[in-house]
């Protein structure tokens, strides 16, 4: 373990010293000194980590909110730019990277992967595109997918959670609900990391995984909540569970197989959940014109038939214009019309033929599997502690220390 890093930093040192050997002046001297300090401190840090029985788990987060054809990186005290794990450059200024086919263009040359190392590990890396500008702890690497540069933030697990809680719940939730979210999010990301097949990253920074906002939105209160639950994970049969969650169940959670198919998981069983008192999406209504249905699905809904699954969620919608029929799954219907309009599949659809519109009455927000965040809020208000909240939503589970769990 240590030998690997010694070899890496030896190559780094040799290449850098060679680059600046013939250069004179304060700038070259500063770079040499900074490099020496960086290598010594890095090796010291690695040695201390190797002596620790439970080394830190790092999470690689794809910052899809920042993906763009042009991405800019800046570190206040300067950075080492590692190009395809071979070549090295340095910058005390902001650098600009652009996509060039399936590679990243930097200073006139193209590379498959670029990594950023900080001279000062206590500083944050600033990542920006043409619209968004965020700061992140840890390290940044970049790769290209579909002609878009995707930054990846590699950050220790607990610091990753510092950026998740502000994105998922915020500071207004009761303390025990926040603790429950911290343990759920820790379990979710560890399960995802183990079962992820993507070599470049473990999770997304969006609702495709769980919302991660990085350093800018951290708060002292939420960081203390994460620290107070350090290493705690949810297990079933001594394994960390897939701790999925959603915003609001609408009064009833869902079996995992009813939402997504596949094998039933014993800890993801649907149940009554009358804990949506604080939810803005406890009930919602929407009107959709025939014109929009025709535009989205290519058929006029003169007749409509709706099939429901065992959890009373819409499974299939059949439109009939008297000449043809068209079948659409509940998920595709929701995606086509927008998750920000149709908040869940827990809905009833009425055909208002006179006014040529569909009237939708729905409940809840999200897929309905696992824990409801609005429900956790309400249970905490009722006096539940975080352990009891977790066991309300995940059946027959335990809460254990991560190091005691066999992956």
């Amino acid at each position: 373990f240590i030998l690997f890093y010694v070899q890496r930093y030896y190559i780094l040192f040799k290449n850098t010293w060679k680059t600046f050997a013939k250069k004179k002046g304060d700038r070259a001297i500063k770079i040499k000194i900074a490099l020496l300090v960086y290598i010594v401190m890095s090796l010291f840090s690695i040695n201390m980590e190797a002596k620790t029985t439970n080394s830190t788990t790092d999470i690689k987060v794809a910052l899809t909110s920042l993906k763009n054809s042009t991405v800019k990186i800046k570190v206040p005290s300067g950075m080492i730019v590692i190009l395809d794990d071979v070549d090295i450059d340095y910058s005390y200024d902001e650098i600009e990277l652009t996509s060039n086919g399936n590679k990243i263009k930097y200073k006139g040359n193209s590379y498959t992967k670029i990594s950023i190392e900080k001279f000062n590990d206590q500083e944050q890396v600033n990542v920006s595109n043409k619209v968004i500008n965020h700061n992140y702890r840890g390290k940044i690497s970049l790769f290209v997918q579909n002609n878009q540069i995707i930054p990846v933030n590699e950050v220790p697990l607990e610091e990753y959670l510092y950026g998740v809680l502000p994105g998922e719940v915020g500071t207004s939730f009761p303390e025990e609900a926040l603790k429950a979210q911290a343990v759920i999010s820790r379990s979710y990301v560890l399960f995802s990391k183990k079962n992820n097949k993507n070599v470049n990253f473990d999770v997304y920074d969006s609702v495709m995984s769980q919302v991660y906002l990085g350093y800018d939105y951290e708060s002292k209160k939420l960081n203390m909540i994460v620290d107070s639950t350090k290493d705690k994970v949810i297990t079933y049969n001594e394994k960390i569970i897939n701790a999925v969650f959603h915003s609001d169940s609408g009064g009833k959670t869902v079996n995992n197989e009813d939402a997504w198919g596949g094998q039933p998981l014993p800890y993801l069983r649907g149940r009554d959940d009358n804990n949506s008192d604080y939810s803005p999406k406890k009930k919602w209504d929407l009107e959709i014109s025939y014109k929009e249905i025709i535009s989205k699905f290519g058929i006029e809904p003169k007749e409509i038939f709706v099939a429901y699954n065992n959890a009373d969620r819409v499974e299939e919608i059949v439109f009939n214009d008297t000449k043809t029929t068209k079948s659409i799954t509940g998920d595709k219907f929701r995606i086509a019309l927008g998750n920000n309009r149709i908040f869940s599949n827990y809905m009833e659809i009425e055909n208002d033929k006179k006014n040529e519109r569909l009237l939708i009455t729905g409940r809840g927000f999200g897929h309905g599997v696992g824990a409801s965040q609005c429900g956790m809020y309400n249970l905490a208000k009722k006096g539940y502690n975080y352990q009891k909240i977790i066991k309300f939503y995940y059946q027959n589970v335990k809460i254990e220390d991560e190091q005691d769990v066999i992956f």
Side-chain angles (χ1 to χ4, degrees):
F1 174 78
I2 296 176
L3 180 60
F4 169 80
Y5 281 96
V6 169
Q7 290 172 336
R8 173 178 175 175
Y9 287 115
Y10 170 72
I11 293 170
L12 175 65
F13 176 77
K14 184 177 71 174
N15 290 348
T16 304
W17 205 265
K18 182 179 178 181
T19 301
F20 290 96
K22 297 180 180 180
K23 295 185 179 182
K24 297 180 180 180
D26 292 342
R27 185 176 178 83
I29 293 171
K30 285 179 181 178
I31 290 174
K32 291 176 183 178
I33 294 171
L35 178 67
L36 285 170
V37 172
Y38 170 75
I39 291 173
V40 171
M41 293 303 294
S42 297
L43 289 174
F44 176 77
S45 175
I46 292 163
N47 184 53
M48 293 303 294
E49 181 180 340
K51 291 178 180 179
T52 305
T53 55
N54 181 32
S55 60
T56 302
T57 300
D58 286 340
I59 305 299
K60 294 181 180 180
V61 191
L63 305 177
T64 52
S65 60
L66 280 154
K67 71 177 180 180
N68 202 284
S69 59
T70 300
V71 173
K72 296 180 180 181
I73 310 287
K74 186 175 182 180
V75 181
S77 294
M79 67 189 107
I80 299 172
V81 185
I82 303 173
L83 309 163
D84 283 340
D85 293 325
V86 177
D87 295 326
I88 295 161
D89 194 21
Y90 306 87
S91 180
Y92 288 93
D93 304 309
E94 183 178 69
I95 64 172
E96 181 174 292
L97 308 170
T98 57
S99 60
N100 181 24
N102 63 347
K103 292 194 174 184
I104 304 170
K105 192 173 183 179
Y106 171 67
K107 289 188 176 179
N109 296 312
S110 295
Y111 304 92
T112 301
K113 177 185 176 183
I114 293 179
S115 302
I116 306 298
E117 301 272 1
K118 299 175 291 187
F119 284 132
N120 182 352
D121 198 47
Q122 300 304 309
E123 293 181 335
Q124 283 71 52
V125 184
N126 181 266
V127 186
S128 63
N129 58 24
K130 297 173 183 178
V131 180
I132 302 172
N133 185 316
H134 286 321
N135 292 290
Y136 295 92
R137 296 173 180 262
K139 303 175 183 178
I140 294 290
S141 60
L142 307 102
F143 71 99
V144 175
Q145 187 176 77
N146 299 325
N147 295 316
Q148 298 280 291
I149 298 174
I150 301 179
V152 176
N153 182 204
E154 184 175 352
V155 63
L157 170 61
E158 300 302 311
E159 294 180 7
Y160 163 74
L161 294 174
Y162 291 167
V164 169
L165 260 65
E168 285 294 345
V169 284
T171 57
S172 64
F173 270 51
E175 185 172 310
E176 293 302 310
L178 292 173
K179 289 180 181 178
Q181 182 68 60
V183 177
I184 289 167
S185 289
R186 184 181 293 109
S187 304
Y188 175 85
V189 74
L190 288 172
F191 180 92
S192 298
K193 180 180 175 69
K194 180 185 176 184
N195 293 279
N196 174 55
K197 292 180 173 59
N198 195 304
V199 296
N200 292 308
F201 60 90
D202 302 318
V203 289
Y204 297 93
D205 66 344
S206 68
V207 293
M208 290 182 68
S209 297
Q210 51 188 353
V211 178
Y212 169 70
L213 299 178
Y215 179 79
D216 295 332
Y217 293 86
E218 288 183 18
S219 79
K220 184 177 180 181
K221 175 183 177 179
L222 296 180
N223 288 4
M224 289 176 65
I225 290 290
V226 172
D227 294 343
S228 72
T229 65
K230 189 176 186 300
D231 296 330
K232 296 297 181 185
V233 292
I234 310 168
T235 66
Y236 181 87
N237 280 350
E238 310 304 323
K239 294 181 179 179
I240 295 177
I241 71 167
N242 185 13
V244 291
F245 58 92
H246 56 279
S247 180
D248 176 20
S249 70
K252 185 191 297 184
T253 64
V254 185
N255 295 333
N256 68 283
E257 70 275 15
D258 290 331
W260 304 311
Q263 293 297 314
L265 295 173
Y267 53 83
L268 291 178
R269 300 295 84 203
R271 63 164 298 164
D272 289 336
D273 177 30
N274 299 312
N275 294 295
S276 298
D277 295 350
Y278 297 92
S279 172
K281 300 296 185 293
K282 182 178 180 179
K283 287 187 178 181
W284 49 268
D285 301 289
L286 181 67
E287 295 181 5
I288 303 175
S289 67
Y290 277 15
K291 185 178 180 180
E292 185 174 359
I293 295 296
I294 294 169
S295 172
K296 297 288 187 183
F297 305 108
I299 189 170
E300 185 177 5
K302 290 185 177 180
E303 300 290 341
I304 179 172
F305 305 93
V306 182
Y308 295 88
N309 62 21
N310 294 331
D312 298 326
R313 262 66 174 179
V314 173
E315 188 169 86
E316 185 181 30
I317 302 169
V318 179
F319 294 126
N320 187 341
D321 65 0
T322 70
K323 293 180 180 180
T324 59
T325 61
K326 187 163 189 177
S327 176
I328 303 153
T329 66
D331 285 338
K332 288 183 178 179
F333 181 76
R334 184 184 174 207
I335 291 168
L337 293 171
N339 292 345
N340 60 340
R341 297 172 68 201
I342 298 181
F343 300 107
S344 77
N345 289 351
Y346 198 2
M347 59 184 170
E348 296 177 354
I349 305 174
E350 180 185 344
N351 195 352
D352 181 4
K353 296 180 182 179
K354 180 179 178 181
N355 296 299
E356 295 190 337
R357 61 184 180 173
L358 300 183
L359 304 177
I360 301 177
T361 302
R363 286 176 280 180
F365 193 175
H367 51 66
V369 185
S372 161
Q373 291 170 319
C374 290
M376 292 194 293
Y377 183 107
N378 197 45
L379 289 172
K381 286 288 188 180
K382 292 178 179 178
Y384 282 52
N385 62 26
Y386 83 87
Q387 296 94 334
K388 195 172 179 181
I389 292 172
I390 288 170
K391 292 178 180 180
F392 180 89
Y393 287 109
Y394 305 100
Q395 288 71 46
N396 302 311
V397 297
K398 295 179 181 178
I399 299 170
E400 302 182 85
D401 287 336
E402 179 193 349
Q403 60 264 32
D404 296 334
V405 180
I406 300 173
F407 280 89

